[in-house]
Amino acid sequence: ATDDKDGSFANLFGIIVCRVTCGAINYTDEVTPSTQSLVDSVLQKRTHHSILGDREKCRGTYREFIIFDNQQVYPEFVVLYRRID
């Protein structure tokens, strides 16, 4: 991301903090999961509302939450910050 060079937010960066309703989560900690199967569980079969790819467990990186319906997301806060060198 880059900062706003001019205007009201000069030298500031922004982030949106959202509240997300995950519902019934299709969890996977596989290194190479069947992507189509995971997506189908939400969009075709409708047995789940979201997907949690636990990369932290299988790769030591992070957990990935994936949703497909924008009505499950509520932008709650806008945070403006300045980076310190």
Side-chain angles (χ1 to χ4, degrees), residues 43-56:
L43 299 179
Q44 301 298 321
K45 298 176 186 172
R46 300 192 180 276
T47 56
H48 298 87
H49 302 105
S50 61
I51 299 168
L52 168 53
D54 197 346
R55 312 304 293 161
E56 184 176 39

